[in-house]
Amino acid sequence: MSTTTLHLAKQNFKFSAAHFLIFDEKHAERLHGHNYQVRIDIKAPAEQDLHAEGYFLDFNVFKKYIKARLDQWDEIVLLPEKHPDMKFKKTAKSLEVTFRDRFYVFPLNEVILLPVSNTSVEQLSRLLAEDFYGEFKQYGVQKVKVYVEETRGQGASSIVPSN
């Protein structure tokens, strides 16, 4: 029995975002940005579960959701909500962020706190893979792999479910 995997790597599967990595209790990058590119592999159901016409699902079902989801992170500052050295204070229009000896103020609509301890490509790919699998399993998707590239040739991938 064979398996089929759909591969989606569209030019518009991208987002531009600012972040910084935290390496240890003394070292962290400066705030900077990337033009991230995203690729998704979707494992289809078994051959006998495909449409009689010989295809799994219209690619547009996946493409629309993926693009809309990536747009949520476009032109945004991504910060790790779960890192113990990150402190946040919301005001009516802004988010004040204290990280060790650094202090930032961002407009509320230009920052997203992610449920992670670091805004690495490893964590970004995991969050997206979990989100996409959660959405696509209703169509019979068996597995989703998401690769997030922060610069050409440098990135990380996550697979959900991992078994």
Side-chain angles (χ1 to χ4, degrees):
M1 179 185 298
S2 67
T3 61
T4 300
T5 301
L6 307 178
H7 305 282
L8 296 169
K10 304 298 288 180
Q11 184 178 352
N12 69 345
F13 286 179
K14 62 182 176 55
F15 61 97
S16 299
H19 82 129
F20 61 90
L21 283 183
I22 304 165
F23 297 114
D24 56 35
E25 49 285 326
K26 293 183 182 178
H27 301 93
E29 294 178 328
R30 298 174 91 174
L31 184 65
H32 66 282
H34 293 282
N35 294 317
Y36 295 91
Q37 194 68 42
V38 178
R39 292 193 320 251
I40 300 94
D41 295 336
I42 299 169
K43 183 178 176 189
E47 182 77 23
Q48 65 269 18
D49 295 328
L50 297 179
H51 288 203
E53 293 82 10
Y55 71 97
F56 169 45
L57 197 68
D58 182 350
F59 277 115
N60 285 320
V61 171
F62 300 120
K63 293 188 311 186
K64 287 177 185 175
Y65 185 84
I66 292 165
K67 177 65 174 133
R69 179 65 184 82
L70 297 177
D71 284 349
Q72 293 173 0
W73 286 358
D74 195 32
E75 298 182 1
I76 291 290
V77 178
L78 302 174
L79 296 175
E81 184 175 38
K82 292 186 175 183
H83 194 282
D85 292 343
M86 299 290 291
K87 308 296 181 220
F88 306 101
K89 180 183 172 188
K90 286 186 181 179
T91 67
K93 295 183 179 180
S94 63
L95 179 69
E96 297 177 0
V97 180
T98 303
F99 171 72
R100 298 180 183 152
D101 62 346
R102 303 180 195 180
F103 181 73
Y104 305 96
V105 179
F106 300 106
L108 270 178
N109 65 344
E110 293 182 20
V111 64
I112 294 177
L113 301 179
L114 298 176
V116 294
S117 59
N118 220 332
T119 52
S120 62
V121 288
E122 295 90 335
Q123 294 298 299
L124 299 179
S125 67
R126 180 184 57 79
L127 289 173
L128 290 172
E130 289 171 352
D131 181 281
F132 295 154
Y133 178 72
E135 176 67 18
F136 300 155
K137 67 183 179 182
Q138 67 179 308
Y139 304 112
V141 166
Q142 304 295 303
K143 194 175 281 194
V144 172
K145 177 181 178 183
V146 174
Y147 176 71
V148 177
E149 185 177 69
E150 65 181 9
T151 57
R152 189 161 182 82
Q154 179 175 307
S157 63
S158 294
I159 301 172
V160 175
S162 60
N163 53 9

